[in-house]
Amino acid sequence: RGLLFEALRGQELRRHLEQQLVLVELVHRGWQVLLLHVDSGHSFDAALPRLASYRVDAIVSALAVLGPDTAEALARFRIPVISFNTPAQNDFLSSVCCDNTGAARAAADLFVARGARRFGYIAGPADSPANQDRLGGFRDRLRELGLPEPTVIGGHFRYEGGYASASVVAVARRAGVPRQRRRGVGQE
């Protein structure tokens, strides 16, 4: 009766699904669940050719639909799609998202309220709408407060990437590397 489409890129997502018993509940309610692995951790677009071979009632995806061509192709399938943080929408494609810009602005306010005066941002993929909104909100709020731009370094929405990026910044800072020279490491 349907399809649950997820990017099973890391153990975190798999554990989350198991902990929440989402799959068990869907099966209990009579749904047949198909998990489709995609190499991208943030974009649905690459899965489109494989998806065309399945006959399903609906698609739920934790991946964003980034390209307008992909959104149009999904509409031609005439299958309802719910995707996270997707900028494109049409009669068959809907998006569930949070206020990434507002959350990033609130994070900047919290850091400032706690006395921070230098800032870093561990970025996701440059073409991710969620990353763009978060970085934009964070930068804009710091600018409004008259504070310096954050050091931006890539983390690619992965725990390992975030840890490695934070380590690079910490080591460079201890070594006295100027902020301007730190910006290039893994950036956006």
Side-chain angles (χ1 to χ4, degrees):
R1 281 186 46 193
L3 167 74
L4 175 66
F5 178 99
E6 288 288 352
L8 294 177
R9 222 182 127 96
Q11 293 298 321
E12 304 89 13
L13 182 57
R14 195 169 293 124
R15 275 194 303 267
H16 177 73
L17 288 173
E18 290 169 356
Q19 289 170 355
Q20 299 299 316
L21 301 174
V22 171
L23 299 177
V24 173
E25 183 62 25
L26 289 171
V27 170
H28 178 73
R29 291 176 184 238
W31 289 82
Q32 289 184 323
V33 178
L34 173 64
L35 297 174
L36 182 62
H37 177 77
V38 179
D39 288 330
S40 172
H42 72 280
S43 173
F44 185 97
D45 299 29
L48 191 60
R50 288 183 51 211
L51 186 60
S53 66
Y54 296 105
R55 296 182 60 88
V56 297
D57 296 315
I59 299 168
V60 177
S61 174
L63 301 173
V65 176
L66 299 180
D69 292 343
T70 302
E72 290 173 23
L74 287 167
R76 285 193 297 274
F77 290 156
R78 304 185 65 76
I79 299 170
V81 177
I82 300 171
S83 180
F84 296 175
N85 295 314
T86 293
Q89 294 188 18
N90 58 43
D91 289 342
F92 289 91
L93 175 60
S94 299
S95 179
V96 175
C97 57
C98 62
D99 183 2
N100 288 303
T101 302
R105 292 173 64 84
D109 286 337
L110 179 64
F111 289 143
V112 171
R114 294 201 174 166
R117 294 295 172 255
R118 291 181 302 189
F119 305 90
Y121 178 86
I122 299 177
D127 63 344
S128 163
N131 179 64
Q132 293 166 358
D133 290 348
R134 292 171 190 162
L135 179 56
F138 194 63
R139 278 182 169 158
D140 290 350
R141 185 62 182 142
L142 292 176
R143 191 176 304 118
E144 289 168 8
L145 295 170
L147 295 164
E149 286 266 325
T151 297
V152 178
I153 190 164
H156 310 291
F157 288 156
R158 311 244 335 164
Y159 288 113
E160 305 84 26
Y163 181 83
S165 296
S167 298
V168 167
V169 170
V171 168
R173 187 169 166 214
R174 278 193 295 262
V177 175
R179 283 182 80 232
Q180 301 87 312
R181 293 197 39 223
R182 286 186 242 155
R183 291 178 65 82
V185 182
Q187 184 175 335
E188 299 175 69

